[in-house]
């Protein structure tokens, strides 16, 4: 089906009897493509205590997707707001569309942008307000048949199958994860459908479990992972799993019932409970919340990328290809001159597919990287990085190539 490529899109909201509006008005949610949703917000009365004048405010609000924490994807747009009023066939321009909103990519996604004192309320004629937002530099394909709908990514087949199975064959939680002392519970039927790793771990290929729970699977996941990498057979792995009797240390009936349900107990020490919980939510919903709100910490760039890296490593461990790719893209988006050195020296040697973009970023910005705290920390502790000499050589070599190319231009 043919589609037209559009580079500019304008959305407008019309409001009648402007002086009679006393409460905030929000436009319907609209899209600029790529599942990026927006909303216009009009505030009819804002009083400035300094001059005691009343103003009207207008804003463009991002309607965030579950995996959005900043304006990074949206900052590529050139955004302009304009307001005019029509009264008795006369048009009055209250805000022109010449001024472009400048929004940093690192701005938190919950923040809207616009004009808190757009124009004085005394400028209104009680006519029809027309509030417009214009987006430039967009890649929006207007499909003639579905141009009024929002395109959503279909759910993965394995997630649909998992929930269908849960619907017609109700299964209580039967897997307990002990992640650094914090416990999480899940249904093996969901885990098996969503991850090949858990399919092998929970369906009897790596460990045996019994229906009546007289013997339950208890194993340290790190040990099992080590055995897999060393190429042990399924029987050898089964032999390494310890089956023990449950100890009744619970006085509460619901805890006793839960204990009787659990068939698999998995101990995990490699990852933080907060990150592991995010991964479990992804398995159940196919969505990942990138908000790093663990313990209410402030979200700095370095904390964000540390969280993203851990999600990437978890996804790699549990063979979650889609989640791994999402985290990989975010790692590239969140690169800065301060964090790139640590990533290059510690993470890249383990994951070769990260190398080229990160090496290029570091080499192209090498002068700034050299002055960063992150790079100085690496230089101060070279023994902490197994491939320090090799990586430093590659970075310098790439940097000199770039410098030479620039000089030859």
């Amino acid at each position: 089906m043919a589609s037209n490529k559009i580079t500019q899109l304008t959305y407008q909201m019309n409001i009648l009897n402007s002086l009679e509006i006393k409460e905030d008005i929000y436009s319907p949610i609209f899209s600029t493509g790529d599942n990026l949703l927006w909303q216009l917000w009009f505030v009819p009365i804002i009083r400035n205590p300094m001059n005691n004048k009343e103003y009207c405010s207008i804003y463009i609000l991002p309607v965030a997707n579950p995996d959005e924490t900043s304006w990074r994807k949206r900052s590529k747009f050139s955004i302009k707001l304009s307001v005019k009023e029509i009264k008795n066939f006369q048009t009055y321009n209250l805000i022109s569309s010449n001024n472009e909103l400048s929004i940093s990519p690192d701005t938190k996604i919950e923040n809207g942008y616009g004009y808190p004192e757009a124009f004085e309320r005394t400028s209104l004629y009680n006519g029809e307000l027309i509030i417009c937002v214009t987006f430039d530099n967009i890649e929006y394909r207007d499909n003639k048949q579905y141009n009024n709908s929002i395109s959503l990514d279909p759910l993965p087949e394995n997630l649909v199958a998992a929930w269908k199975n849960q619907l017609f064959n109700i299964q209580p939680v039967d897997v307990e994860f002990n992640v650094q002392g914090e416990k999480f519970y899940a249904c093996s039927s969901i885990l098996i459908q969503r991850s090949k790793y858990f399919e092998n771990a929970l369906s009897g290929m790596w460990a045996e479990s019994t229906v009546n729970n007289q013997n339950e699977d208890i194993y340290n996941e790190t040990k099992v992972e080590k055995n897999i990498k060393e190429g042990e057979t399924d029987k050898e792995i089964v032999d390494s799993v310890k089956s023990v009797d449950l100890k009744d240390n619970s006085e509460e009936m619901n805890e006793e019932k839960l204990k009787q349900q659990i068939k698999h107990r998995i101990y995990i020490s490699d990852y933080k409970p907060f990150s592991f919980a995010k991964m479990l939510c992804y398995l159940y919903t196919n969505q990942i919340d990138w908000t790093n709100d663990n313990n209410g910490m402030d979200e700095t760039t370095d904390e964000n990328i540390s969280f993203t890296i851990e999600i990437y490593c978890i996804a790699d461990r549990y063979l979650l290809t889609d989640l791994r790719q999402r985290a990989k893209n975010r790692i590239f988006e969140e690169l800065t001159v301060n964090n790139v050195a640590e990533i290059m020296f510690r993470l890249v040697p383990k994951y070769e597919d990260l190398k080229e973009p990160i090496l290029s970023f570091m080499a192209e910005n090498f002068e700034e990287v050299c002055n960063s705290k992150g790079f100085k920390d690496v230089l101060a502790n070279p023994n902490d990085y197994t491939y320090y000499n090799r990586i430093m050589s590659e970075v310098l070599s790439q940097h000199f190539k770039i410098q030479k190319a620039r000089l030859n231009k």
Side-chain angles (χ1 to χ4, degrees):
M1 183 176 294
S3 62
N4 299 319
K5 187 174 181 181
I6 302 172
T7 59
Q8 184 184 86
L9 184 143
T10 298
Y11 179 88
Q12 74 177 42
M13 174 171 66
N14 294 41
I15 303 173
L16 298 176
N17 304 321
S18 59
L19 285 174
E20 298 176 18
I21 305 300
K22 305 299 181 183
E23 297 182 354
D24 295 7
I25 294 180
Y26 295 85
S27 75
I29 294 173
F30 60 94
S31 172
T32 51
D34 294 329
N35 204 25
L36 295 179
L37 306 178
W38 309 83
Q39 202 169 25
L40 282 171
W41 176 26
F42 174 67
V43 183
I45 305 175
I46 292 289
R47 185 179 297 276
N48 186 326
M50 301 297 293
N51 58 22
N52 205 33
K53 291 183 177 181
E54 292 182 343
Y55 293 87
C56 298
S57 309
I58 59 167
Y59 301 94
I60 180 69
L61 302 177
V63 181
N65 293 311
D67 61 347
E68 279 191 290
T69 59
S70 71
W71 275 70
R72 188 166 299 275
K73 292 181 181 178
R74 299 169 186 260
S75 61
K76 64 182 178 180
F77 298 131
S78 167
I79 303 176
K80 298 176 182 178
L81 290 170
S82 63
V83 182
K84 59 185 178 181
E85 186 176 23
I86 299 176
K87 178 72 172 180
N88 297 328
F89 304 104
Q90 294 290 320
T91 300
Y92 305 92
N93 290 317
L94 301 176
I95 297 180
S96 70
S97 60
N98 295 329
N99 297 325
E100 179 181 341
L101 295 176
S102 178
I103 305 171
S104 168
D106 295 324
T107 302
K108 289 187 177 181
I109 195 63
E110 60 263 25
N111 294 341
Y113 264 79
Y115 303 103
E117 295 182 354
F119 51 86
E120 291 187 36
R121 188 169 171 81
T122 55
S123 303
L124 297 175
Y125 294 87
N126 203 31
E128 180 182 6
L129 274 184
I130 301 176
I131 302 173
C132 296
V133 57
T134 300
F135 299 87
D136 282 311
N137 304 327
I138 71 171
E139 294 181 1
Y140 180 88
R141 294 189 177 275
D142 179 23
N143 186 295
K144 292 182 179 179
Q145 183 175 353
Y146 299 107
N147 58 350
N148 290 323
S149 65
I150 299 171
S151 177
L152 299 176
D153 294 332
L155 289 175
E157 292 183 6
N158 58 9
L159 181 60
V160 174
W163 280 113
K164 279 185 178 179
N165 181 64
Q166 189 75 2
L167 177 64
F168 296 109
N169 183 22
I170 297 175
Q171 175 187 327
V173 294
D174 58 349
V175 182
E176 178 186 270
F177 294 99
N178 189 321
V179 186
Q180 298 183 5
E182 189 168 338
K183 294 180 180 180
F184 301 94
Y185 298 91
C187 293
S188 60
S189 60
I190 300 292
L191 302 180
I192 286 171
Q193 286 284 350
R194 294 284 281 149
S195 165
K196 189 69 175 177
Y197 183 101
F198 287 123
E199 179 183 357
N200 292 334
L202 304 175
S203 63
M205 294 182 65
W206 293 353
E208 294 178 348
S209 61
T210 59
V211 175
N212 61 13
N213 205 32
Q214 292 299 312
N215 295 301
E216 72 176 351
D217 294 340
I218 299 183
Y219 60 93
N220 185 303
E221 190 234 29
T222 304
K223 181 178 180 182
V224 172
E225 180 72 10
K226 180 175 181 293
N227 291 337
I228 297 165
K229 291 180 178 178
E230 291 176 352
E232 289 189 13
T233 64
D234 291 342
K235 185 178 184 305
E236 289 171 329
I237 294 171
V238 170
D239 291 340
S240 73
V241 176
K242 296 180 180 179
S243 295
V244 300
D245 293 333
L246 282 174
K247 295 181 180 180
D248 184 8
N249 59 0
S250 172
E251 296 180 358
E252 297 290 337
M253 185 64 71
N254 58 341
E255 291 184 4
E256 177 62 24
K257 183 179 179 181
L258 179 62
K259 285 185 65 176
Q260 294 299 322
Q261 291 176 191
I262 301 302
K263 298 179 182 178
H264 313 272
R265 296 186 188 275
I266 303 176
Y267 291 83
I268 297 171
S269 59
D270 297 348
Y271 307 114
K272 296 175 184 176
F274 177 76
S275 302
F276 192 84
K278 296 277 190 176
M279 182 274 292
L280 284 180
C281 287
Y282 166 80
L283 290 179
Y284 272 70
T285 66
N286 205 51
Q287 296 180 346
I288 179 74
D289 180 3
W290 296 103
T291 306
N292 185 8
D293 55 0
N294 190 19
N295 296 324
M297 67 171 63
D298 292 334
E299 291 182 27
T300 67
T301 301
D302 289 343
E303 286 168 343
N304 279 341
I305 200 163
S306 295
F307 167 64
T308 303
I309 287 171
E310 183 154 57
I311 293 295
Y312 174 84
C313 295
I314 290 175
D316 183 79
R317 164 70 67 85
Y318 297 117
L319 308 181
L320 304 172
T321 305
D322 171 65
L323 180 58
R324 186 184 189 275
Q325 185 62 44
R326 295 193 206 183
K328 176 181 173 181
N329 292 341
R330 287 191 70 86
I331 289 173
F332 296 152
E333 290 177 0
E334 294 174 356
L335 280 179
T336 67
V337 295
N338 190 57
N339 63 35
V340 67
E342 176 69 16
I343 296 171
M344 184 68 203
F345 282 86
R346 191 178 298 281
L347 193 67
V348 167
K350 300 177 184 178
Y351 305 99
E352 187 66 23
D353 59 321
L354 297 177
K355 181 177 180 179
E356 185 176 345
I358 294 175
L359 175 61
S360 296
F361 181 92
M362 188 170 180
E364 289 174 2
N365 301 279
F366 193 67
E367 289 84 358
E368 294 178 74
V369 172
C370 285
N371 294 321
S372 70
K373 181 181 181 298
F375 186 71
K376 291 175 181 177
D377 288 343
V378 171
L379 292 180
N381 302 281
N383 294 332
D384 291 349
Y385 306 93
T386 305
Y387 301 99
Y388 175 85
N389 291 329
R390 190 192 77 188
I391 294 173
M392 183 63 78
S393 176
E394 290 179 348
V395 171
L396 290 173
S397 176
Q398 184 69 14
H399 173 63
F400 293 144
K401 286 181 181 178
I402 292 173
Q403 290 295 94
K404 184 178 180 180
R406 288 173 179 171
L407 291 173
N408 291 335
K409 282 186 179 180

